Each structure stands twice: as structure tokens, then as C-alpha cells.
Amino acid sequence: MVGVRAHGARRRVTPRALALATHPGPALAVTVVAGLLALAAGASWGRAALVTAAVLAGQASIGWSNDWLDADRDRAVARTDKPVVQGAVDPALLRSLALGSAVAAAVLSLLLGVVPGVLLLVLVASGWAYNAGLKRTAVSVLPYVTGFGALPAGVVAAAPGASGSDWLAAPWWLVVAGAALGAAAHLANVAPDLEDDLATGVRGLPHRLGARVSAATGAVVLGGASLVLVLGPEGPPTAAGWAGLGLAVPAVAVAALAGTPGFRRLAFPAVMLLTVLDVVLLLAGGAAVT
């Protein structure tokens, strides 16, 4: 165990504290979707495992860099859910882990080939750019759009049959849907921390739009992703696709009313339904490109 000094006492860094600093929920969700998309696109189990490892290393790097760079800001607003604020881990250690996992992500990604490797690393670079300062600007959504648009492109490029020099192995609608999911994730992810962010000078796009407009915009973007994933592929939509759109329309309507007291409790389940639906459609889209 590594010792860190916090508030005059010496604590031991636990695996749990380090895991929490990666932002495990989003990190694992992105990693699992990437691995499943690789399998859906026709990758072997070994190659899908390499994609999963590369994405996991990149996501850990982004999470650790976030808690390292935001340590002073999190302390200022007493974010007691953060291991750094709890004194459970030192920011210097998170900096070392973030840099080390970024190197690991680069190596693992490039083992898949130059094109898929570079595309997967766009997601890592986007996350670092967000943490380093873009989160405080009106274009805070840009890293999410860029990174999550590049993710399915990189995964598909890593699958068998993709040309080693083909940057457009993934169809446009898969990339657009990934970018839309990224934008919606940004709008939803910032919502719980709006007040703390504003108190420490962070004014990204969701802060400028406000909680109600951000919620409505995120819902519409998720609905748009559903539409693209169903209507984008060649040929007529499947029965499952039409059923998905049938679920998406009322979910968008409910989620968009998150700022209205009567719908507030229903908004979160509606957003989760839309997100799961879009992920399922995304995986189905990955299978369709093989």
C-alpha cells in the first residue's frame, strides 16, 4: 500500500479509492459497450479483448486526470464523494497513474493497427482536453462529440475486413449516433454538479443553457440518435427498429420535461430507457456493418 498524508493523518491508499477516482460507472459503461461493439462488428474474442483493454486504460486515464486536475476545485466545494477530498489518495499519485494509463492506452490501441489505434486515442485525447480546460468553455460539448464519434469508428476499423488505411470503415450513421450519445452524456453528466461547478468558475455549455434546457436538449439528442440508428442503415428499418422508435418517442417527451415538477421523477428513468435503447441499437448497427 502507498501512504498519503491528509489533514495531518497518514492514510493508506486502497484499491477502492483508486477505483472510485476513475469514475467507474461511466468508465465501465463505455468500456463494455466498446467490447460488445467489437464483437458485434465481427472481431475475434482476442481482438475484442484488446479493444476492451485499450478503452479501459484510456477511460481510467481520463478519470484519474479529472480528479487530479480538479483536486483543488473539489476541495473548495467539499466534494466528499471524491477520494482526494476524503484524503484517501494524493493528487500526485493520480497524476502518475493518469499519465501511465495514457501510455498504456496508446500502446494497446496501436497494437490494433494505426488507423483503429489513432481513432481510439482520439477519445482519450478528447477526455484530457475536456479536463484540462474545455469544460470551462462554451464548446465543452466538443470533446464528447469528437471522442464518442471516433469510438465506434475505431472499433469498427479494428474488426476483420476493414482496410488498414480506411478511416471511413464505420458508416456515417454509426459515427453520428456515437457523437450524439456523447453530447447527451455531457448534458446529463454535468446536471448534478451545476451549482458546484458555477461556484468554482466552470461555465461549460450546460451551465450556460441551464438545467431545464440542458435536460430537454439531451433528450432530443438521444431521440435523434435513435432515429439515425434506425433509419441510417441501408434498406428498410426492421420491425425491431420501428419498435425502438415507438419506445423512443414517448421517452423523449417525458425526458424533455425534466424541469417540470410533475415529470421530474419520471425524467431520469426515461433518459435511462433512451440510453439503453440507443446502446442496443448501436450494437445492432455494429452487427449490420459486417
Side-chain angles (χ1 to χ4, degrees):
M1 295 291 185
V2 181
V4 299
R5 189 170 299 278
H7 307 298
R10 190 173 183 81
R11 294 189 181 184
R12 290 184 179 276
V13 177
T14 64
R16 180 177 182 275
L18 294 179
L20 286 175
T22 65
H23 302 206
L28 290 176
V30 172
T31 300
V32 169
V33 169
L36 292 176
L37 182 59
L39 290 173
S44 65
W45 282 96
R47 201 156 174 83
L50 184 55
V51 168
T52 302
V55 173
L56 180 59
Q59 289 299 296
S61 174
I62 293 169
W64 280 327
S65 70
N66 180 276
D67 276 22
W68 156 45
L69 293 169
D70 278 358
D72 290 339
R73 193 172 66 84
D74 289 337
R75 286 170 178 150
V77 293
R79 285 289 303 273
T80 55
D81 58 315
K82 296 282 191 174
V84 169
V85 178
Q86 297 167 2
V89 62
D90 191 84
L93 176 58
L94 292 180
R95 177 185 61 205
S96 298
L97 291 171
L99 293 171
S101 54
V103 172
V107 172
L108 292 168
S109 297
L110 292 174
L111 284 175
L112 293 163
V114 174
V115 170
V118 169
L119 288 170
L120 291 180
L121 290 174
V122 168
L123 175 59
V124 181
S126 297
W128 273 76
Y130 178 82
N131 292 339
L134 283 180
K135 68 193 299 179
R136 297 175 173 83
T137 72
V139 294
S140 61
V141 72
L142 184 60
Y144 279 82
V145 171
T146 303
F148 284 95
L151 177 60
V155 172
V156 172
S163 169
S165 59
D166 186 4
W167 288 85
L168 299 175
W172 68 268
W173 46 267
L174 202 61
V175 174
V176 169
L181 283 170
H186 174 49
L187 294 168
N189 188 48
V190 171
D193 303 322
L194 276 176
E195 292 184 4
D196 287 346
D197 288 344
L198 289 171
T200 53
V202 175
R203 292 191 70 248
L205 181 62
H207 309 85
R208 297 163 194 256
L209 294 177
R212 182 174 297 185
V213 175
S214 290
T217 303
V220 171
V221 170
L222 283 172
S226 302
L227 198 64
V228 168
L229 286 166
V230 171
L231 301 180
E234 293 183 8
T238 63
W242 284 121
L245 285 181
L247 288 173
V249 171
V252 168
V254 173
L257 294 172
T260 304
F263 289 86
R264 194 165 292 156
R265 290 183 179 180
L266 297 175
F268 182 74
V271 169
M272 290 299 99
L273 172 62
L274 278 168
T275 303
V276 171
L277 177 63
D278 283 344
V279 168
V280 171
L281 290 172
L282 186 74
L283 296 176
V289 303
T290 58

